Every structure is written in C-alpha cells, then in structure tokens.
Amino acid sequence: MIRACVRTQAAGQPQLIGSVRIIDGPGLVFQVPPPPCKSTETELDWPSVPGGATGASGPSGPTGPTGPTGARGPTGAGVTGATGATGAIGPTGPTGARGPTGVGTTGATGATGAKGATGAKGATGPTGARGPTGLQGPTGAVGPTGSRGPTGPAGTIGARGPTGVQGPTGATGPTGARGPTGAGTTGPTGPTGPPGTSGFPGSQIVAGTPVITSTGKGTATATCPAGTFLLGGGGTALAVNNATAITSLYQSYPSAPDTWTVSSNLFRTIAGSQTMQTQAYVVCTS
C-alpha cells in the first residue's frame, strides 16, 4: 500500500493546494521518517501491485483547461537540512513475458523498477528572489539604572563681581497746578527708606604657611585677617628635588567661614631628600 498526504486547505499558501507528499510505500526507505498528514492535508492511499500483462490503452480524454497560477508565496528562510545517505540499489528483477494484447480496460500499473544509478549533478539554477524583510521584533525591556557615581569635590567660590554703575536720573516732570488747600490734619511721617548699596570693598590674597611632607600627602590652610570676609581660595602642590614627579590637589574647599584648606598627593615614591610642599591661598576682602 502506498500512503500519501494531499494538500487540501490553503492556510495562507494557496499555491500548495493539490501537492502530494508520499509518507510510506513498498521499497521506500526514509533516512528520517516523514511526519503524518497535517490538519491541512488529507491522506490518500492506493495499492501497489506487481506488474503483469498490460491491457490495451483506452483513448485519452480531452485535456482540461489549465487553472490560474496561484500567487507566489514568500521565500522561506529555513536552513537546508543535511542530505541523507543514498540507500543501496536493489537487484533488477527479471522481465516477465509480454502477454497478448487485451481488448479490455487498462491493467493495473506494475511495480516500480529498481532505482538506476544517480546521474551527474546538473548546473546550479539561478538564485531565487530575496524574500520580504520580516517584521521588527518587540523592543527589549529597559535595563536597570546604574548606581550613582561618587560626588566630586566642591568647586572654589568665585570672587564677588563689582557693583554695576548707577543709571542716570530721569528728567524732572513739569510741576502740576497747585490744588486747593485741604482742611485735614497733617499725616504721620513715613518710615525711613533702606540705605543704598555699598561699592565693592576690594580684595586681598593671603598666603598660608607652606607645609613640607615626605609621606606623599599633605594638607595646608590659609586664614583671612580679623575683620575681613572670605571670598575664595586655592593652593599649590610642588615636588622638591624630583623634577619628574607628578602632583595634584585632590581637595580645595572653605573649611571655615574665614579659612581655606587644600590637600595634595604625589604620584611617585618619595625617597631620600625628596619631599613635597603644599601651600594654601585665601582671597579676602580688604
């Protein structure tokens, strides 16, 4: 018995309706067993009978009209599976004697003969058209927010800018006509207005005492004189007896209302007489 699956439902691929897929039969050896008929297919079986006397062929019926060609489906993107090994070719059976020509209907088709040797591989056909681009996949979930980095050191306080110049006095308007003298009492005196803004008091730079260290780190301060106010500050870090050393100020900030503090670091091992000098400067009002 030869078993086959016939495509009877379009399921989005009308060009496949009527296609036949053999799933079992005498003499057939599949490297991978074919899947059974799907919901879009109908199983169709017919007997496989040995060849015998062939009756006379009846007249051929007229050829039916060719149906319209279905729309070409999109080219699949699946990978080609590995080619299975070719089974051994069985021996060819003896040819039976030809019987007398019958006058009845066409006899049953004889069994398929043994498969002949595989012919040479034909030339590769042209590459098919590229299929349409698939739909864009959904956007992935947003990743977690990274941890917040450390807060950098406080910046230096800038110097106070100068007070802007006073604008010109507007022109005096004309004196209005004097109204009649009222008979009311004199009103209370209004409050005294606020004092005007003062000009910039000036500034001075006060250098702190240099701090000499031999440990690779140093901290120094500078303080404003009594009666003045702190405006800003900074500092320096210098390597002594080591011209190739690299220094840096990693802290520069107002540590008190009248004091500026700086801390430095030396990026080279200090040995012998090599030292580092750290000095702070503060900007104060005059």
Side-chain angles (χ1 to χ4, degrees):
M1 183 67 69
I2 297 175
R3 299 178 58 206
C5 298
V6 181
R7 184 67 175 262
T8 58
Q9 299 182 27
Q13 297 177 307
Q15 71 278 9
L16 297 181
I17 292 181
S19 60
V20 178
R21 181 169 59 86
I22 303 298
I23 61 175
D24 195 11
L28 298 179
V29 178
F30 296 98
Q31 183 180 13
V32 178
C37 294
K38 304 176 183 178
S39 60
T40 57
E41 298 174 320
T42 300
E43 183 171 341
L44 178 64
D45 303 335
W46 64 85
S48 174
V49 298
T54 303
S57 299
S60 299
T63 302
T66 303
T69 303
R72 180 172 180 176
T75 304
V79 297
T80 304
T83 304
T86 304
I89 300 173
T92 304
T95 304
R98 183 174 181 177
T101 302
V103 295
T105 59
T106 302
T109 303
T112 303
K115 182 178 181 180
T118 303
K121 183 177 180 180
T124 303
T127 304
R130 181 175 181 179
T133 303
L135 298 176
Q136 182 176 352
T139 303
V142 178
T145 303
S147 58
R148 182 175 180 178
T151 303
T156 58
I157 299 175
R160 181 176 179 180
T163 303
V165 296
Q166 183 175 348
T169 303
T172 303
T175 303
R178 181 173 181 175
T181 303
T185 60
T186 303
T189 303
T192 303
T197 57
S198 301
F200 182 64
S203 64
Q204 60 176 320
I205 298 176
V206 179
T209 303
V211 176
I212 308 297
T213 57
S214 59
T215 60
K217 295 181 179 296
T219 299
T221 60
T223 303
C224 289
T228 63
F229 298 95
L230 182 149
L231 299 177
T236 60
L238 302 174
V240 182
N241 299 326
N242 191 343
T244 61
I246 301 174
T247 61
S248 72
L249 288 177
Y250 66 89
Q251 284 186 330
S252 179
Y253 62 99
S255 57
D258 60 350
T259 303
W260 197 269
T261 299
V262 295
S263 297
S264 61
N265 188 35
L266 178 65
F267 296 103
R268 183 176 292 276
T269 302
I270 297 179
S273 61
Q274 297 175 351
T275 57
M276 181 177 65
Q277 174 181 298
T278 306
Q279 186 170 11
Y281 298 88
V282 63
V283 181
C284 312
T285 58
S286 299

